[in-house]
């Protein structure tokens, strides 16, 4: 069988280290023949991302803080230069909320940190999709995948403001899918069960989330980043050419349970 991503050009946002979901997806894309571009946030993780990027077919590694419109504009300019003015795939795997807002009461979330969480975790998808649009249009279409979580649909203790951000992300995904469909650009989300990553470690009670999934999910087993990457590869690939505006749950079936 031909490599599924041969000739495809992909931008991946959200690699922090080898445990990042974004890295698992990047490896799938690279294994399938894609050429990659990566962004990293902040000098602290530059080396870790650069060290991973050299192990796959990488055209670009550049800094991007998604809070900055200037950064987003510059990054997509660099991506256009690296990929001949075209882009096929965008992986959005970025989220942030202050650690103090991922414990205690949601009711106590202050205004500034509420907007910070929504800016980084939800608006960034809108900004990046808009910047990707002309490059994907030039390529004849494209596919965008973002990472969400059940805590945006139902209350998950401690997830708090990040749940509100994920609800915003989910709705943004659907509105973007509606706008961009006429350009053959698809936008979908993966709702992942708990995966032990850097971001996950900042959620109070994360081990409890893992334990409850294992106890109650229909498949009674944990999921890992590679399971999420397999779902992403489906949504990003031609096999999903008529799938947009949807959420794929990679959570051992936990979302289906009432109790
Ligand atoms: P991670 O810490 O490896 O990735 C989060 C990424 O967000 C990091 O690379 C970080 O640099 C980036 N980021 C944070 N603030 C940023 C900013 N201002 N600008 C640019 N990048 C910024 O953790 P992960 O678990 O791989 O998270 C990836 C995505 O998956 C997130 O959206 C997360 O909410 C989602 N998700 C994770 C789980 C899980 O259990 N790990 C479950 C469901 C959804």
């Amino acid at each position: 069988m031909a490599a599924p991503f041969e000739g495809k050009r992909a931008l991946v946002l959200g690699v922090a280290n080898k445990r990042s979901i974004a890295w698992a997806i990047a490896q799938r894309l690279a294994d399938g023949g894609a050429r990659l571009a990566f962004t990293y946030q902040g000098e602290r993780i530059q080396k870790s991302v650069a060290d991973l990027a050299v192990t796959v077919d990488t055209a670009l590694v550049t800094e991007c803080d998604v809070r900055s419109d200037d950064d987003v504009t510059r990054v997509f300019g660099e991506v256009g230069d690296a990929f001949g003015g075209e882009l096929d795939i965008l992986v959005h795997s970025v989220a942030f909320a202050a650690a103090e807002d991922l414990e205690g009461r949601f009711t106590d979330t202050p205004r500034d940190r509420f907007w910070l969480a929504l800016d980084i975790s939800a608006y960034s998808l809108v900004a990046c999709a808009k910047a990707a649009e002309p490059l994907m249009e030039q390529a004849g279409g494209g596919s965008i995948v973002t990472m969400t979580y059940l805590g945006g649909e139902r209350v998950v203790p401690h997830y708090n403001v990040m749940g509100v951000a994920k609800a915003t992300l989910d709705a943004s995904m659907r509105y973007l899918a509606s706008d961009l469909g006429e350009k053959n650009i698809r936008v979908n989300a993966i709702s992942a069960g708990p995966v032990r990553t850097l971001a996950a470690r900042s959620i109070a009670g994360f081990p409890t989330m893992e334990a409850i999934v294992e106890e109650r999910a229909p498949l009674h087993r944990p999921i890992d980043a590679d399971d999420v990457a397999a779902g992403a590869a489906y949504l990003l690939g031609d096999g999903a050419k008529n799938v947009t505006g949807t959420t794929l749950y990679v959570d051992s079936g936990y979302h289906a349970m009432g109790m």
Side-chain angles (χ1 to χ4, degrees):
M1 204 178 89
F5 298 109
E6 197 65 55
K8 301 285 187 193
R9 294 136 305 181
L11 171 63
V12 179
L13 281 84
V15 178
N17 56 39
K18 66 177 189 327
R19 290 182 194 281
S20 295
I21 290 171
W23 176 240
I25 298 171
Q27 283 178 293
R28 284 257 169 181
L29 294 171
D31 287 349
R35 190 155 166 72
L36 299 173
F38 293 94
T39 68
Y40 61 89
Q41 189 227 349
E43 276 171 28
R44 211 167 33 87
I45 60 167
Q46 175 177 13
K47 185 172 183 317
S48 127
V49 177
D51 287 350
L52 292 170
V54 294
T55 66
V56 294
D57 182 9
T58 299
L60 176 73
V61 180
T62 191
E63 186 166 10
C64 184
D65 184 330
V66 294
R67 285 172 294 185
S68 158
D69 286 332
D70 288 348
D71 268 21
V72 171
T73 303
R74 174 184 49 75
V75 165
F76 281 84
E78 292 176 18
V79 167
D81 291 344
F83 289 151
E86 300 185 3
L87 180 68
D88 306 288
I89 288 170
L90 173 64
V91 176
H92 175 275
S93 188
V94 167
F96 179 82
E100 55 266 55
D101 296 329
L102 297 173
E103 57 187 11
R105 304 194 319 158
F106 169 68
T107 312
D108 298 329
T109 313
R111 189 188 301 266
D112 58 342
R113 295 203 306 257
F114 180 99
W115 289 121
L116 175 69
L118 266 77
D119 187 10
I120 296 176
S121 314
Y123 181 74
S124 61
L125 177 68
V126 184
C128 291
K130 183 174 165 59
E133 182 181 0
L135 300 175
M136 289 186 163
E137 191 177 6
Q138 194 64 32
S143 184
I144 301 174
V145 159
T146 188
M147 296 299 133
T148 190
Y149 177 59
L150 189 65
E153 301 170 58
R154 303 193 215 145
V155 172
V156 172
H158 307 299
Y159 205 61
N160 296 1
V161 70
M162 188 56 87
V164 176
K166 291 303 191 194
T168 307
L169 179 73
D170 295 348
S172 302
M173 177 274 290
R174 289 187 286 272
Y175 278 92
L176 289 167
S178 170
D179 279 354
L180 300 177
E182 65 185 7
K183 295 184 176 169
N184 191 29
I185 299 171
R186 301 183 294 106
V187 191
N188 291 290
I190 295 204
S191 182
V195 177
R196 225 172 276 197
T197 61
L198 194 64
R201 280 216 304 269
S202 59
I203 303 166
F206 184 78
T208 310
M209 289 162 79
E210 289 180 304
I212 287 178
V213 166
E214 275 199 67
E215 181 195 323
R216 300 191 196 157
L219 295 173
H220 297 290
R221 58 186 178 229
I223 64 147
D224 61 26
D226 199 46
D227 299 324
V228 181
Y234 162 68
L235 289 172
L236 293 169
D238 290 342
K241 72 177 169 45
N242 286 330
V243 178
T244 195
T246 199
T247 300
L248 177 64
Y249 293 84
V250 182
D251 65 351
S252 290
Y254 181 76
H255 70 283
M257 304 303 290
M259 270 183 77

